[in-house]
Amino acid sequence: MTANVGGLDKILRIVVGLALIAFALLAPATISWRWIGWIGVVPLATALLGFCPAYTLLGINTCPMKK
């Protein structure tokens, strides 16, 4: 697994992931679609690992180039 998620991309993924998880935890139980918030685990995990399988399939790499 080669890192393909860069710095700004990691920050955005962490923010979005935490926001979605917070929604899942804090939303009232009457909201039937709060399970969608648990999707926030995916961007959070990819940010912490520095690797996104979808980026590999699409040929995207946001990491700075190493010299």
Side-chain angles (χ1 to χ4, degrees):
M1 284 189 334
T2 305
N4 61 2
V5 178
L8 180 61
D9 197 6
K10 282 184 183 183
I11 293 169
L12 291 173
R13 287 170 184 259
I14 289 171
V15 169
V16 169
L18 290 175
L20 285 169
I21 291 170
F23 172 75
L25 293 173
L26 301 174
T30 57
I31 297 177
S32 61
W33 44 268
R34 75 180 194 165
W35 62 270
I36 291 175
W38 290 109
I39 294 172
V41 172
V42 174
L44 189 60
T46 58
L48 296 176
L49 293 174
F51 176 76
C52 178
Y55 275 12
T56 302
L57 292 173
L58 297 172
I60 300 171
N61 187 351
T62 59
C63 275
M65 297 188 79
K66 296 180 183 179
K67 293 184 179 181

